[in-house]
Amino acid sequence: MKKSDNHIKYTADAAAQAVDQALKVLEGKWKLSILFYLFDGKVMRFSDLERAIPEITQKMLTQQLRQLEADGLVGRTSYPEVPPRVEYRLTEWGQALCPTLDSLITWADHRPK
């Protein structure tokens, strides 16, 4: 990897590794669905996400949210109320992923039939 003119130039191997690492962050059956529900600055409670993705179990939703939080894509805010209220939102870094995923959708739409 070389840095010049504020751009990082990757070798083919370094580029492949970087993309592989990025894909590992997004790996998981429900992560992309969760991210798409939270795009555009949306804030959702755990129960809202459960309703939005009815096929997901509570355990799986918890796991996926924890992984997204650990990877820095999702922020979690817990309020000391009864019953407890927890809200999820994308971090700035998570929100920056939106144009990339939009590009992937466009790319996939142009797949030869």
Side-chain angles (χ1 to χ4, degrees):
M1 230 180 325
K2 297 178 184 175
K3 190 170 182 175
S4 63
D5 301 309
N6 294 328
H7 292 97
I8 297 175
K9 293 188 178 188
Y10 289 92
T11 65
D13 288 339
Q17 277 186 323
V19 170
D20 188 52
Q21 289 300 314
L23 292 175
K24 284 182 180 171
V25 169
L26 301 174
E27 204 171 55
K29 184 173 181 177
W30 303 105
K31 285 183 182 178
L32 289 172
S33 292
I34 293 166
L35 291 173
F36 277 108
Y37 278 107
L38 295 176
F39 276 143
D40 296 326
K42 290 182 190 150
V43 177
M44 295 182 80
R45 295 174 72 167
F46 186 90
S47 58
D48 295 331
L49 285 165
E50 267 187 312
R51 279 191 293 278
I53 312 168
E55 301 86 13
I56 195 170
T57 64
Q58 280 188 350
K59 179 181 176 183
M60 184 56 67
L61 180 57
T62 299
Q63 287 176 349
Q64 300 281 273
L65 285 166
R66 284 184 181 156
Q67 289 172 6
L68 288 166
E69 185 181 6
D71 287 330
L73 293 170
V74 170
R76 178 183 189 273
T77 306
S78 181
Y79 297 92
E81 302 173 350
V82 177
R85 177 170 54 116
V86 178
E87 294 179 340
Y88 296 91
R89 68 180 48 78
L90 291 181
T91 62
E92 188 176 326
W93 189 60
Q95 191 64 43
L97 184 59
C98 187
T100 302
L101 292 179
D102 283 342
S103 293
L104 275 173
I105 292 167
T106 302
W107 174 76
D109 282 344
H110 290 92
R111 180 179 180 191
K113 306 291 189 241

